[in-house]
């Protein structure tokens, strides 16, 4: 896939853990002023946060949380998931498995995963998302 193929497409980033999900959308209308230091937060718009108020480890709680997330990300053409952990502790992988089972058409929009355990700031996360997308396209 080439960058021309994603022009005018909605690209989303979902930062996800057990407590909340933060949704970003990639802007395609930004202008980079070469005289100023570029911030990746200028390239992404934070759309909102979904809180997981259920703190037990029951799968039914995950279903409620995942349903809220799916409702919010359904409009994206491409979705990048940022999460941490391994196996059943990785909420991003759990969400993708849930999507595979319950709404396959949305799981097909996932273009990849990035790990969040090394990120200290929002700008670092968005920078890594941009790097991933630049290599992808």
């Amino acid at each position: 896939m080439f960058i021309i193929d994603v022009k005018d497409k909605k690209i989303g980033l979902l930062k996800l853990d057990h407590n909340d999900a933060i949704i970003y959308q990639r802007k395609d209308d930004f202008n980079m002023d070469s005289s100023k230091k570029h911030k990746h937060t200028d390239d992404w718009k934070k759309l909102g946060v979904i809180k997981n108020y259920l703190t037990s480890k029951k799968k039914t709680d995950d279903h409620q949380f995942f349903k809220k997330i799916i409702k919010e990300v359904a409009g994206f053409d491409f979705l990048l998931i940022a999460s941490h952990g391994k196996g059943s502790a990785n909420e991003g992988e759990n969400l993708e498995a849930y999507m595979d089972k319950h709404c396959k058409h949305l799981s097909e929009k996932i273009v990849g995963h990035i790990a969040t355990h090394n990120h200290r700031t929002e700008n670092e996360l968005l920078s890594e998302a941009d790097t991933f997308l630049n290599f992808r396209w």
Side-chain angles (χ1 to χ4, degrees), residues 18 52-66 88 91 94 98:
H18 296 287
N52 185 6
Y53 294 106
L54 303 170
T55 57
S56 72
K57 299 292 181 188
K58 295 178 184 174
K59 285 293 178 192
T60 55
D61 292 351
D62 272 349
H63 293 304
Q64 297 295 354
F65 184 44
F66 291 164
S88 64
E91 206 67 359
N94 294 339
Y98 182 87

Side-chain angles (χ1 to χ4, degrees), residues 14-23 46-56 60-70 72 91:
L14 174 65
K15 180 179 183 266
L16 179 65
D17 64 26
H18 296 287
N19 298 316
D20 55 25
I22 304 171
I23 302 168
K46 187 175 187 178
L47 298 180
V49 177
I50 300 169
K51 293 284 186 190
N52 185 6
Y53 294 106
L54 303 170
T55 57
S56 72
T60 55
D61 292 351
D62 272 349
H63 293 304
Q64 297 295 354
F65 184 44
F66 291 164
K67 283 180 182 180
K68 291 177 190 175
I69 293 169
I70 288 168
E72 296 301 319
E91 206 67 359

